[in-house]
Amino acid sequence: MTLHVRELPALRLAYLRHTGDYGPALGDLWNALGRWCESRGLGAPQPGYLGLSHDDPACTPAGQCRYDACVPIGIGMRPGPDVQVQDFAGGPHACMRFQGVGADIGAAWKYLIKDLMPAQGLKPAPRAVVELYEADFAVDPDSGSFACWLCVPLLLPR
């Protein structure tokens, strides 16, 4: 797998948060965000989505891990009571393309952070890691496979 350094843009995000295990419950979270987007006219054309993982499950109890399913929104949009808003700082990120099923994404994150980044002398910044789902995102109905970018914010040398 190839590592790319990409400059992600700063964005204003509407999001729903899940606190708990990074597992199958995230599918329900994404479905809820998709329904919210459709109700606000954000489904066509399909936007790019971001998944923000705020905690490392290797050192945070599963019940306390925070994950945000996010969609970029304009400055004047008011999301309503069920959806929160946050600013995403963007900046340089170490990114790797992922293709697989949800059960495999944890191993891919570990490989990116523990193997690929150190091999290139890159250090993660203490911010949320990002799953970047592009506008053409789709899940294969037969296999459950999907593609996204796994992106880790970089700590830049001084």
Side-chain angles (χ1 to χ4, degrees), residues 57-108:
C59 55
T60 302
Q64 296 175 13
C65 289
R66 297 164 296 150
Y67 182 94
D68 298 341
C70 309
V71 62
I73 59 171
I75 196 74
M77 182 173 207
R78 304 272 184 240
D82 297 334
V83 176
Q84 304 297 313
V85 173
Q86 65 180 299
D87 291 320
F88 174 71
H93 284 67
C95 300
M96 178 183 80
R97 187 81 171 154
F98 171 79
Q99 175 75 48
V101 297
D104 298 334
I105 205 165

Side-chain angles (χ1 to χ4, degrees), residues 16 18 23-35 69:
L16 293 174
H18 168 78
L26 296 183
D28 294 336
L29 182 72
W30 281 110
N31 288 334
L33 184 66
R35 287 189 301 274

Side-chain angles (χ1 to χ4, degrees), residues 18-151:
H18 168 78
T19 301
D21 186 20
Y22 294 153
L26 296 183
D28 294 336
L29 182 72
W30 281 110
N31 288 334
L33 184 66
R35 287 189 301 274
W36 180 85
C37 287
E38 288 290 326
S39 74
R40 300 295 189 282
L42 297 175
Q46 181 172 315
Y49 294 94
L50 290 85
L52 304 181
S53 298
H54 295 277
D55 304 291
D56 180 351
C59 55
T60 302
Q64 296 175 13
C65 289
R66 297 164 296 150
Y67 182 94
D68 298 341
C70 309
V71 62
I73 59 171
I75 196 74
M77 182 173 207
R78 304 272 184 240
D82 297 334
V83 176
Q84 304 297 313
V85 173
Q86 65 180 299
D87 291 320
F88 174 71
H93 284 67
C95 300
M96 178 183 80
R97 187 81 171 154
F98 171 79
Q99 175 75 48
V101 297
D104 298 334
I105 205 165
W109 274 117
K110 185 176 179 183
Y111 176 69
L112 170 59
I113 295 168
K114 303 291 184 192
D115 295 319
L116 281 183
M117 289 179 60
Q120 294 197 22
L122 300 173
K123 296 189 185 306
R127 297 193 319 263
V129 298
V130 181
E131 295 165 5
L132 183 60
Y133 297 94
E134 296 171 314
D136 62 353
F137 172 78
V139 177
D140 182 283
D142 296 324
S143 68
S145 180
F146 62 91
C148 68
W149 286 93
L150 305 180
C151 303

